[in-house]
Amino acid sequence: MDSLELPKRIFTLGEEPFPNKSIAYHTDDSKLFSAVRDALHDDEYEELKESRLGVFLKFKEMDFGWASRLVHCMLCFQLNIKKKYELWSLVGADPVRFSLIEFEQLTGLNCEYIEHLENPRCEVTNEMASFWERIGVSVDAGPSSEQIIRALKRCQEWSRDDRMRLGYLAIFSGFIEGRKYSSATRASLARLVMDLERFENYPWGRVAFKVLMDSLRAKDFTKSYTVDGFIQVLQVWIYHALPELGANYGNPLPNRPSPPLLAFMGDKGRKCCKDAISIQHMDAYINVLRLRQRNNPNHFRSERICFLDHLFSRMWRDKYGEFKSSEPDHNGLGRRLPGGSWDLYAGIVPTFCASNKTWGVDIDEIYAPVNFQNDHWIAIWISIPKRHIVVWDSIVKHISKAELDEIMELFLTMVPYLLVECASTDEERIKYSLEPFTYERPTVGVPQCIAGDCGVYALKYMECHALGYTSFPAAFCEKNVKQIQEKMTHDIFHETPGFEGIEDKTSYYNDLDTYG
């Protein structure tokens, strides 16, 4: 991971354009699909819904909550790559990919390769000409959503096959092409509907993916924009690519519905988008600190410290109930630790600038950000030799003493347990105890902030202390928070892999008071 050179971002971190309006799109047309439901007999509609294209109808019936801001954020986190039909977004240190592979996995649609995908051979027969005439469309064009709706309203006396053709054309126009209500679809593809079996089994997933990606590539994300194609799949992709975010904001359905497109109800996403950006920036700056520590360990107060990203606290919080309810053996061991705990203990994760140092053997102190109820960040400093944890909180009144006790219980309990459970020898194990650690939340001399800046403060608490400051510098204050944040963004952009380096990467350490 350390040697991975990533392409540049399309926008500098922290300077992503804020959307003035929601992303406009043409898919999921309620009028169109209400007309389909009203026109088709019950058995016809059920057959269409159970067909290979029925996933679109099932998705429509979910009343999925569109989160425009979240999708826009991920589009603005993109890396500038050369491949036309791949999209990579950088979240923290980890790039996530959206390609035909992910599209197929999410939708379950046929994405097979065939020649002449968008211009298949299809003879214009008298039957086709007659059907096109019935729906009021020139044989040289494909029907628009508007024309399909009009035809659906007068098709009750048509044959079953013709009604099914209108249903398939509605899916084609409303989800696969996903263009303007009055825009004609492509005749070369629409004509395939005359052979219902061929139409159902055509690689429409590949067509739908190409429509979406071609539209996205042409957009200017600094302005209001409209996307053709099935853009909602990007929101579901985000939920699967960032499972914590999906679990917290995607309204996941039980029992893992198939295909994965149907696994989330979605959300409007304003707070979700804010959380995604917050996590992105928090982990990105943690990576700066990890990189600096690896390259210039002498700048830090000790070589026996490590920085963990937000996943540490999030994973331990989510799994603490399982640990607490699991029965220990006669030695008090054998309880269920969160997955990946050994890798944390051994310094294998986080993978970015992995220390490969073992807690208690090579590491004495641990710094980590902790999120409270997805709207407030605090920082913790864990001292293994002192068996004590210090909490730095920029808005003390935001978390009550009882709430903080509940937050800290998992760290006070599981850190000492991990040290004993994972010790490689009995000699190491007897150095530790299963007795819980203690903690404190100091208030004197801890800079306080207003709502919205807690993430910046949490990062700076950890950085200042790790650099050896015995007290927080006077320039670390609310008056200078904008400059602090701008400098953090600058450092992320210039110091982490994939971004241009600066000439003197160590000058930052010379005077931490250059915030203002």
Side-chain angles (χ1 to χ4, degrees):
M1 179 66 76
D2 295 352
S3 61
L4 178 64
E5 290 294 328
L6 297 174
K8 294 181 180 179
R9 298 173 184 261
I10 63 171
F11 296 107
T12 300
L13 185 66
E15 297 180 10
E16 301 90 352
F18 188 80
N20 293 320
K21 296 181 180 179
S22 178
I23 301 171
Y25 59 92
H26 304 296
T27 50
D28 195 21
D29 187 324
S30 294
K31 290 183 179 179
L32 178 62
F33 289 98
S34 292
V36 171
R37 188 67 189 88
D38 293 341
L40 269 59
H41 298 173
D42 288 347
D43 63 313
E44 294 166 353
Y45 184 79
E46 288 303 314
E47 181 180 328
L48 188 64
K49 195 164 76 169
E50 295 306 317
S51 73
R52 298 189 73 175
L53 296 179
V55 64
F56 290 117
L57 296 183
K58 294 173 183 177
F59 183 80
K60 172 61 183 171
E61 291 178 351
M62 292 173 60
D63 193 25
F64 184 78
W66 169 239
S68 174
R69 291 172 185 261
L70 175 62
V71 174
H72 175 80
C73 286
M74 286 296 283
L75 290 174
C76 292
F77 289 161
Q78 280 186 81
L79 299 175
N80 188 6
I81 65 171
K82 294 180 180 179
K83 291 185 178 181
K84 185 177 180 181
Y85 292 109
E86 284 190 11
L87 182 157
W88 288 82
S89 291
L90 190 62
V91 182
D94 300 319
V96 291
R97 181 185 69 176
F98 179 75
S99 69
L100 183 63
I101 294 172
E102 286 72 33
F103 187 89
E104 181 178 21
Q105 290 171 342
L106 289 171
T107 64
L109 293 168
N110 181 1
C111 294
E112 294 176 359
Y113 170 81
I114 62 168
E115 293 185 354
H116 311 299
L117 174 71
E118 295 175 292
N119 191 26
R121 183 186 297 273
C122 188
E123 181 183 355
V124 178
T125 63
N126 290 336
E127 182 186 16
M128 179 190 297
S130 175
F131 179 70
W132 249 238
E133 184 178 358
R134 293 187 82 179
I135 59 177
V137 182
S138 166
V139 75
D140 296 323
S144 65
S145 292
E146 184 177 24
Q147 291 167 326
I148 293 169
I149 290 174
R150 286 204 296 262
L152 284 163
K153 290 180 179 179
R154 51 184 170 81
C155 71
Q156 286 302 309
E157 302 302 320
W158 295 12
S159 69
R160 186 182 195 279
D161 281 356
D162 281 352
R163 285 195 299 272
M164 292 297 292
R165 288 185 178 108
L166 286 178
Y168 277 120
L169 285 173
I171 292 175
F172 172 58
S173 174
F175 275 111
I176 296 171
E177 292 261 283
R179 304 185 198 276
K180 193 176 178 180
Y181 177 71
S182 58
S183 297
T185 52
R186 288 174 286 180
S188 59
L189 291 167
R191 290 169 180 166
L192 294 171
V193 81
M194 298 310 298
D195 183 338
L196 289 172
E197 183 177 355
R198 182 185 181 191
F199 191 92
E200 180 185 356
N201 291 292
Y202 200 72
W204 290 116
R206 204 175 192 95
V207 176
F209 174 77
K210 189 174 184 299
V211 170
L212 175 61
M213 295 299 284
D214 284 341
S215 181
L216 288 173
R217 290 298 180 195
K219 301 307 168 188
D220 181 351
F221 299 123
T222 65
K223 302 176 181 178
S224 298
Y225 55 98
T226 301
V227 177
D228 295 335
F230 185 38
I231 190 172
Q232 292 93 331
V233 71
L234 285 178
Q235 185 175 333
V236 182
W237 163 68
I238 295 168
Y239 291 151
H240 285 279
L242 307 175
E244 295 167 48
L245 189 141
N248 287 320
Y249 298 106
N251 290 319
L253 294 171
N255 303 321
R256 296 185 179 181
S258 180
L261 178 69
L262 308 177
F264 295 91
M265 291 293 293
D267 192 10
K268 296 302 180 186
R270 181 169 299 197
K271 191 171 183 294
C272 173
C273 176
K274 181 180 177 181
D275 191 44
I277 296 173
S278 174
I279 291 172
Q280 155 102 348
H281 291 182
M282 292 293 289
D283 285 353
Y285 200 71
I286 289 290
N287 289 338
V288 169
L289 297 178
R290 292 173 65 83
L291 184 63
R292 288 172 175 172
Q293 185 193 16
R294 185 194 67 178
N295 293 340
N296 299 283
N298 57 304
H299 290 298
F300 291 82
R301 54 190 293 271
S302 169
E303 294 186 10
R304 298 177 62 83
I305 65 175
C306 71
F307 297 94
L308 302 181
D309 58 29
H310 88 283
L311 287 173
F312 160 62
S313 60
R314 181 70 63 88
M315 180 64 75
W316 277 33
R317 181 196 66 195
D318 292 346
K319 298 297 183 181
Y320 181 57
E322 295 180 9
F323 170 85
K324 198 172 181 180
S325 62
S326 59
E327 289 293 329
D329 60 22
H330 65 283
N331 292 317
L333 303 177
R335 304 181 80 171
R336 185 180 301 167
L337 282 166
S341 293
W342 166 260
D343 291 341
L344 276 170
Y345 171 79
I348 299 170
V349 295
T351 55
F352 184 85
C353 291
S355 69
N356 295 310
K357 292 182 177 181
T358 303
W359 292 11
V361 178
D362 312 297
I363 295 295
D364 290 333
E365 301 173 9
I366 300 162
Y367 297 93
V370 178
N371 190 268
F372 173 68
Q373 295 184 348
N374 297 311
D375 66 1
H376 182 58
W377 290 99
I378 60 176
I380 61 174
W381 163 43
I382 304 172
S383 172
I384 294 174
K386 295 179 180 179
R387 301 179 57 81
H388 187 69
I389 302 177
V390 173
V391 178
W392 293 301
D393 187 353
S394 60
I395 310 176
V396 173
K397 293 181 179 179
H398 193 86
I399 306 177
S400 69
K401 179 63 167 61
E403 289 172 328
L404 189 59
D405 286 345
E406 184 178 348
I407 294 169
M408 295 306 298
E409 180 185 334
L410 66 97
F411 301 109
L412 303 179
T413 304
M414 288 204 290
V415 170
Y417 180 88
L418 181 70
L419 292 168
V420 177
E421 180 72 80
C422 293
S424 58
T425 64
D426 291 338
E427 185 179 63
E428 288 182 17
R429 188 170 289 113
I430 60 174
K431 293 194 303 183
Y432 306 110
S433 165
L434 294 176
E435 285 297 312
F437 281 14
T438 57
Y439 90 92
E440 64 177 311
R441 176 172 57 176
T443 55
V444 178
V446 179
Q448 297 292 286
C449 74
I450 60 174
D453 297 328
C454 57
V456 175
Y457 273 62
L459 290 167
K460 283 301 175 184
Y461 292 144
M462 294 184 286
E463 180 178 25
C464 290
H465 191 269
L467 289 174
Y469 281 77
T470 55
S471 61
F472 295 113
F476 181 6
C477 63
E478 190 62 25
K479 181 183 72 172
N480 295 325
V481 70
K482 187 175 186 297
Q483 295 96 314
I484 296 172
Q485 191 166 23
E486 288 174 352
K487 181 156 181 44
M488 287 171 59
T489 301
H490 173 276
D491 293 345
I492 291 168
F493 183 79
H494 287 279
E495 295 189 41
T496 48
F499 305 124
E500 294 179 356
I502 56 177
E503 291 183 2
D504 183 6
K505 293 184 179 180
T506 63
S507 62
Y508 174 77
Y509 301 101
N510 294 335
D511 187 1
L512 191 64
D513 292 338
T514 58
Y515 289 139

PDB file of all heavy atoms in Angstrom, residues 5-6 9 21 51 56 71 85 108 134 143 155 171 227 282 289 311 328 358 404 424 449 497 504-505:
ATOM      1  N   GLU A   5       0.974   4.440  -6.076  1.00  0.00           N
ATOM      2  CA  GLU A   5       0.853   5.804  -6.561  1.00  0.00           C
ATOM      3  C   GLU A   5      -0.506   5.957  -7.216  1.00  0.00           C
ATOM      4  O   GLU A   5      -0.767   5.397  -8.269  1.00  0.00           O
ATOM      5  CB  GLU A   5       1.978   6.120  -7.556  1.00  0.00           C
ATOM      6  CG  GLU A   5       3.358   6.218  -6.922  1.00  0.00           C
ATOM      7  CD  GLU A   5       3.462   7.417  -5.977  1.00  0.00           C
ATOM      8  OE1 GLU A   5       2.807   8.438  -6.236  1.00  0.00           O
ATOM      9  OE2 GLU A   5       4.180   7.308  -4.975  1.00  0.00           O
ATOM     10  N   LEU A   6      -1.371   6.717  -6.587  1.00  0.00           N
ATOM     11  CA  LEU A   6      -2.721   6.894  -7.098  1.00  0.00           C
ATOM     12  C   LEU A   6      -2.780   8.070  -8.063  1.00  0.00           C
ATOM     13  O   LEU A   6      -2.009   9.033  -7.942  1.00  0.00           O
ATOM     14  CB  LEU A   6      -3.680   7.156  -5.939  1.00  0.00           C
ATOM     15  CG  LEU A   6      -3.840   6.031  -4.919  1.00  0.00           C
ATOM     16  CD1 LEU A   6      -4.713   6.508  -3.770  1.00  0.00           C
ATOM     17  CD2 LEU A   6      -4.430   4.797  -5.560  1.00  0.00           C
ATOM     18  N   ARG A   9      -6.777  13.467  -7.816  1.00  0.00           N
ATOM     19  CA  ARG A   9      -8.208  13.681  -7.706  1.00  0.00           C
ATOM     20  C   ARG A   9      -8.662  14.664  -8.786  1.00  0.00           C
ATOM     21  O   ARG A   9      -7.888  15.504  -9.235  1.00  0.00           O
ATOM     22  CB  ARG A   9      -8.564  14.269  -6.336  1.00  0.00           C
ATOM     23  CG  ARG A   9      -8.220  13.395  -5.148  1.00  0.00           C
ATOM     24  CD  ARG A   9      -8.457  14.180  -3.872  1.00  0.00           C
ATOM     25  NE  ARG A   9      -8.057  13.421  -2.696  1.00  0.00           N
ATOM     26  CZ  ARG A   9      -8.898  12.744  -1.933  1.00  0.00           C
ATOM     27  NH1 ARG A   9     -10.178  12.732  -2.229  1.00  0.00           N
ATOM     28  NH2 ARG A   9      -8.475  12.075  -0.883  1.00  0.00           N
ATOM     29  N   LYS A  21     -28.146  22.366  -6.511  1.00  0.00           N
ATOM     30  CA  LYS A  21     -29.426  21.696  -6.684  1.00  0.00           C
ATOM     31  C   LYS A  21     -29.207  20.194  -6.674  1.00  0.00           C
ATOM     32  O   LYS A  21     -28.100  19.712  -6.865  1.00  0.00           O
ATOM     33  CB  LYS A  21     -30.074  22.110  -8.020  1.00  0.00           C
ATOM     34  CG  LYS A  21     -30.445  23.577  -8.116  1.00  0.00           C
ATOM     35  CD  LYS A  21     -31.107  23.862  -9.462  1.00  0.00           C
ATOM     36  CE  LYS A  21     -31.503  25.331  -9.594  1.00  0.00           C
ATOM     37  NZ  LYS A  21     -32.125  25.604 -10.911  1.00  0.00           N
ATOM     38  N   SER A  51     -39.339 -11.417 -14.741  1.00  0.00           N
ATOM     39  CA  SER A  51     -38.451 -11.591 -15.890  1.00  0.00           C
ATOM     40  C   SER A  51     -37.037 -11.127 -15.536  1.00  0.00           C
ATOM     41  O   SER A  51     -36.790 -10.623 -14.433  1.00  0.00           O
ATOM     42  CB  SER A  51     -38.972 -10.789 -17.083  1.00  0.00           C
ATOM     43  OG  SER A  51     -38.762  -9.394 -16.862  1.00  0.00           O
ATOM     44  N   PHE A  56     -36.001  -3.916 -12.144  1.00  0.00           N
ATOM     45  CA  PHE A  56     -36.339  -2.501 -12.190  1.00  0.00           C
ATOM     46  C   PHE A  56     -37.718  -2.234 -11.578  1.00  0.00           C
ATOM     47  O   PHE A  56     -37.909  -1.245 -10.878  1.00  0.00           O
ATOM     48  CB  PHE A  56     -36.300  -1.988 -13.634  1.00  0.00           C
ATOM     49  CG  PHE A  56     -34.917  -1.918 -14.215  1.00  0.00           C
ATOM     50  CD1 PHE A  56     -34.562  -2.695 -15.310  1.00  0.00           C
ATOM     51  CD2 PHE A  56     -33.962  -1.076 -13.672  1.00  0.00           C
ATOM     52  CE1 PHE A  56     -33.291  -2.624 -15.854  1.00  0.00           C
ATOM     53  CE2 PHE A  56     -32.682  -0.992 -14.208  1.00  0.00           C
ATOM     54  CZ  PHE A  56     -32.346  -1.772 -15.298  1.00  0.00           C
ATOM     55  N   VAL A  71     -24.435  11.000  -3.613  1.00  0.00           N
ATOM     56  CA  VAL A  71     -23.918  10.589  -4.924  1.00  0.00           C
ATOM     57  C   VAL A  71     -23.003  11.671  -5.489  1.00  0.00           C
ATOM     58  O   VAL A  71     -21.923  11.384  -6.021  1.00  0.00           O
ATOM     59  CB  VAL A  71     -25.079  10.279  -5.893  1.00  0.00           C
ATOM     60  CG1 VAL A  71     -24.548   9.989  -7.295  1.00  0.00           C
ATOM     61  CG2 VAL A  71     -25.895   9.091  -5.386  1.00  0.00           C
ATOM     62  N   TYR A  85     -14.694   3.597 -18.963  1.00  0.00           N
ATOM     63  CA  TYR A  85     -15.843   2.938 -18.356  1.00  0.00           C
ATOM     64  C   TYR A  85     -15.528   2.374 -16.975  1.00  0.00           C
ATOM     65  O   TYR A  85     -16.001   1.317 -16.596  1.00  0.00           O
ATOM     66  CB  TYR A  85     -16.395   1.863 -19.296  1.00  0.00           C
ATOM     67  CG  TYR A  85     -17.008   2.472 -20.532  1.00  0.00           C
ATOM     68  CD1 TYR A  85     -16.396   2.351 -21.771  1.00  0.00           C
ATOM     69  CD2 TYR A  85     -18.183   3.201 -20.452  1.00  0.00           C
ATOM     70  CE1 TYR A  85     -16.950   2.942 -22.900  1.00  0.00           C
ATOM     71  CE2 TYR A  85     -18.746   3.790 -21.569  1.00  0.00           C
ATOM     72  CZ  TYR A  85     -18.128   3.661 -22.787  1.00  0.00           C
ATOM     73  OH  TYR A  85     -18.689   4.249 -23.912  1.00  0.00           O
ATOM     74  N   GLY A 108     -27.737  -7.714 -11.088  1.00  0.00           N
ATOM     75  CA  GLY A 108     -28.061  -9.052 -11.560  1.00  0.00           C
ATOM     76  C   GLY A 108     -28.461  -9.081 -13.019  1.00  0.00           C
ATOM     77  O   GLY A 108     -28.916 -10.120 -13.539  1.00  0.00           O
ATOM     78  N   ARG A 134     -49.387   1.500 -34.218  1.00  0.00           N
ATOM     79  CA  ARG A 134     -50.387   1.474 -33.142  1.00  0.00           C
ATOM     80  C   ARG A 134     -49.951   2.345 -31.956  1.00  0.00           C
ATOM     81  O   ARG A 134     -50.788   2.930 -31.273  1.00  0.00           O
ATOM     82  CB  ARG A 134     -50.629   0.039 -32.664  1.00  0.00           C
ATOM     83  CG  ARG A 134     -51.287  -0.856 -33.687  1.00  0.00           C
ATOM     84  CD  ARG A 134     -51.639  -2.203 -33.088  1.00  0.00           C
ATOM     85  NE  ARG A 134     -52.902  -2.128 -32.343  1.00  0.00           N
ATOM     86  CZ  ARG A 134     -53.455  -3.186 -31.738  1.00  0.00           C
ATOM     87  NH1 ARG A 134     -52.848  -4.364 -31.758  1.00  0.00           N
ATOM     88  NH2 ARG A 134     -54.594  -3.058 -31.087  1.00  0.00           N
ATOM     89  N   PRO A 143     -39.870   4.625 -29.412  1.00  0.00           N
ATOM     90  CA  PRO A 143     -40.879   5.384 -28.667  1.00  0.00           C
ATOM     91  C   PRO A 143     -40.293   6.072 -27.436  1.00  0.00           C
ATOM     92  O   PRO A 143     -39.419   5.537 -26.757  1.00  0.00           O
ATOM     93  CB  PRO A 143     -41.894   4.319 -28.274  1.00  0.00           C
ATOM     94  CG  PRO A 143     -41.120   3.047 -28.232  1.00  0.00           C
ATOM     95  CD  PRO A 143     -40.087   3.160 -29.303  1.00  0.00           C
ATOM     96  N   CYS A 155     -54.488   0.308 -24.507  1.00  0.00           N
ATOM     97  CA  CYS A 155     -54.049  -1.004 -24.992  1.00  0.00           C
ATOM     98  C   CYS A 155     -54.876  -2.163 -24.443  1.00  0.00           C
ATOM     99  O   CYS A 155     -54.492  -3.328 -24.616  1.00  0.00           O
ATOM    100  CB  CYS A 155     -52.573  -1.217 -24.678  1.00  0.00           C
ATOM    101  SG  CYS A 155     -52.232  -1.481 -22.913  1.00  0.00           S
ATOM    102  N   ILE A 171     -39.757  -0.284 -19.424  1.00  0.00           N
ATOM    103  CA  ILE A 171     -38.505  -0.523 -18.681  1.00  0.00           C
ATOM    104  C   ILE A 171     -37.317   0.003 -19.472  1.00  0.00           C
ATOM    105  O   ILE A 171     -36.410   0.646 -18.915  1.00  0.00           O
ATOM    106  CB  ILE A 171     -38.351  -2.026 -18.377  1.00  0.00           C
ATOM    107  CG1 ILE A 171     -39.414  -2.483 -17.369  1.00  0.00           C
ATOM    108  CG2 ILE A 171     -36.942  -2.323 -17.841  1.00  0.00           C
ATOM    109  CD1 ILE A 171     -39.420  -3.980 -17.108  1.00  0.00           C
ATOM    110  N   VAL A 227     -28.424  13.693 -15.290  1.00  0.00           N
ATOM    111  CA  VAL A 227     -27.764  12.444 -15.690  1.00  0.00           C
ATOM    112  C   VAL A 227     -28.767  11.533 -16.373  1.00  0.00           C
ATOM    113  O   VAL A 227     -29.876  11.323 -15.880  1.00  0.00           O
ATOM    114  CB  VAL A 227     -27.146  11.736 -14.464  1.00  0.00           C
ATOM    115  CG1 VAL A 227     -26.517  10.405 -14.884  1.00  0.00           C
ATOM    116  CG2 VAL A 227     -26.104  12.626 -13.800  1.00  0.00           C
ATOM    117  N   MET A 282     -11.231  12.869   8.039  1.00  0.00           N
ATOM    118  CA  MET A 282     -10.598  12.388   9.263  1.00  0.00           C
ATOM    119  C   MET A 282      -9.534  11.342   8.940  1.00  0.00           C
ATOM    120  O   MET A 282      -8.378  11.446   9.368  1.00  0.00           O
ATOM    121  CB  MET A 282     -11.646  11.778  10.202  1.00  0.00           C
ATOM    122  CG  MET A 282     -12.635  12.759  10.783  1.00  0.00           C
ATOM    123  SD  MET A 282     -11.903  13.952  11.925  1.00  0.00           S
ATOM    124  CE  MET A 282     -11.543  12.907  13.330  1.00  0.00           C
ATOM    125  N   LEU A 289      -0.523  11.808   9.335  1.00  0.00           N
ATOM    126  CA  LEU A 289       0.237  11.621  10.581  1.00  0.00           C
ATOM    127  C   LEU A 289       1.001  10.296  10.559  1.00  0.00           C
ATOM    128  O   LEU A 289       2.155  10.224  11.007  1.00  0.00           O
ATOM    129  CB  LEU A 289      -0.707  11.668  11.775  1.00  0.00           C
ATOM    130  CG  LEU A 289      -1.447  12.999  11.996  1.00  0.00           C
ATOM    131  CD1 LEU A 289      -2.391  12.882  13.188  1.00  0.00           C
ATOM    132  CD2 LEU A 289      -0.459  14.146  12.193  1.00  0.00           C
ATOM    133  N   LEU A 311     -12.064   3.427  11.803  1.00  0.00           N
ATOM    134  CA  LEU A 311     -12.592   2.062  11.760  1.00  0.00           C
ATOM    135  C   LEU A 311     -12.361   1.312  13.067  1.00  0.00           C
ATOM    136  O   LEU A 311     -13.141   0.435  13.435  1.00  0.00           O
ATOM    137  CB  LEU A 311     -11.969   1.291  10.600  1.00  0.00           C
ATOM    138  CG  LEU A 311     -12.449   1.683   9.208  1.00  0.00           C
ATOM    139  CD1 LEU A 311     -11.628   0.961   8.146  1.00  0.00           C
ATOM    140  CD2 LEU A 311     -13.928   1.371   9.036  1.00  0.00           C
ATOM    141  N   PRO A 328     -16.421 -16.339  28.867  1.00  0.00           N
ATOM    142  CA  PRO A 328     -14.980 -16.622  28.937  1.00  0.00           C
ATOM    143  C   PRO A 328     -14.719 -18.026  29.479  1.00  0.00           C
ATOM    144  O   PRO A 328     -15.601 -18.661  30.067  1.00  0.00           O
ATOM    145  CB  PRO A 328     -14.470 -15.562  29.914  1.00  0.00           C
ATOM    146  CG  PRO A 328     -15.634 -15.317  30.824  1.00  0.00           C
ATOM    147  CD  PRO A 328     -16.872 -15.473  29.963  1.00  0.00           C
ATOM    148  N   THR A 358       3.841  -4.352  17.540  1.00  0.00           N
ATOM    149  CA  THR A 358       2.872  -5.027  18.406  1.00  0.00           C
ATOM    150  C   THR A 358       2.557  -4.182  19.637  1.00  0.00           C
ATOM    151  O   THR A 358       3.464  -3.637  20.283  1.00  0.00           O
ATOM    152  CB  THR A 358       3.436  -6.389  18.842  1.00  0.00           C
ATOM    153  OG1 THR A 358       3.735  -7.161  17.680  1.00  0.00           O
ATOM    154  CG2 THR A 358       2.432  -7.136  19.706  1.00  0.00           C
ATOM    155  N   LEU A 404     -20.531   9.298  28.172  1.00  0.00           N
ATOM    156  CA  LEU A 404     -19.107   9.054  27.959  1.00  0.00           C
ATOM    157  C   LEU A 404     -18.677   7.755  28.642  1.00  0.00           C
ATOM    158  O   LEU A 404     -17.844   7.006  28.104  1.00  0.00           O
ATOM    159  CB  LEU A 404     -18.284  10.233  28.475  1.00  0.00           C
ATOM    160  CG  LEU A 404     -16.798  10.196  28.122  1.00  0.00           C
ATOM    161  CD1 LEU A 404     -16.581  10.158  26.616  1.00  0.00           C
ATOM    162  CD2 LEU A 404     -16.072  11.405  28.715  1.00  0.00           C
ATOM    163  N   SER A 424       1.927 -13.484  22.863  1.00  0.00           N
ATOM    164  CA  SER A 424       2.456 -14.683  22.211  1.00  0.00           C
ATOM    165  C   SER A 424       3.108 -15.666  23.185  1.00  0.00           C
ATOM    166  O   SER A 424       3.289 -16.836  22.854  1.00  0.00           O
ATOM    167  CB  SER A 424       3.471 -14.287  21.129  1.00  0.00           C
ATOM    168  OG  SER A 424       4.536 -13.534  21.693  1.00  0.00           O
ATOM    169  N   CYS A 449     -14.506  24.349  20.907  1.00  0.00           N
ATOM    170  CA  CYS A 449     -14.926  24.866  19.603  1.00  0.00           C
ATOM    171  C   CYS A 449     -16.438  24.977  19.550  1.00  0.00           C
ATOM    172  O   CYS A 449     -17.150  24.602  20.492  1.00  0.00           O
ATOM    173  CB  CYS A 449     -14.413  23.966  18.480  1.00  0.00           C
ATOM    174  SG  CYS A 449     -15.307  22.396  18.322  1.00  0.00           S
ATOM    175  N   PRO A 497       0.299   9.737  -0.801  1.00  0.00           N
ATOM    176  CA  PRO A 497       0.548   9.167  -2.116  1.00  0.00           C
ATOM    177  C   PRO A 497      -0.586   9.472  -3.083  1.00  0.00           C
ATOM    178  O   PRO A 497      -1.759   9.449  -2.731  1.00  0.00           O
ATOM    179  CB  PRO A 497       0.631   7.658  -1.846  1.00  0.00           C
ATOM    180  CG  PRO A 497       1.061   7.560  -0.422  1.00  0.00           C
ATOM    181  CD  PRO A 497       0.426   8.732   0.263  1.00  0.00           C
ATOM    182  N   ASP A 504       9.648  20.827   0.959  1.00  0.00           N
ATOM    183  CA  ASP A 504      10.147  20.549   2.300  1.00  0.00           C
ATOM    184  C   ASP A 504       9.016  20.022   3.155  1.00  0.00           C
ATOM    185  O   ASP A 504       8.247  20.775   3.737  1.00  0.00           O
ATOM    186  CB  ASP A 504      10.728  21.823   2.917  1.00  0.00           C
ATOM    187  CG  ASP A 504      11.329  21.543   4.292  1.00  0.00           C
ATOM    188  OD1 ASP A 504      11.389  20.365   4.672  1.00  0.00           O
ATOM    189  OD2 ASP A 504      11.724  22.517   4.964  1.00  0.00           O
ATOM    190  N   LYS A 505       8.894  18.725   3.225  1.00  0.00           N
ATOM    191  CA  LYS A 505       7.789  18.126   3.966  1.00  0.00           C
ATOM    192  C   LYS A 505       7.996  18.166   5.470  1.00  0.00           C
ATOM    193  O   LYS A 505       7.091  17.855   6.212  1.00  0.00           O
ATOM    194  CB  LYS A 505       7.588  16.670   3.521  1.00  0.00           C
ATOM    195  CG  LYS A 505       7.111  16.555   2.088  1.00  0.00           C
ATOM    196  CD  LYS A 505       6.828  15.126   1.710  1.00  0.00           C
ATOM    197  CE  LYS A 505       6.330  15.004   0.296  1.00  0.00           C
ATOM    198  NZ  LYS A 505       6.045  13.637  -0.094  1.00  0.00           N
TER     199      LYS A 505
END
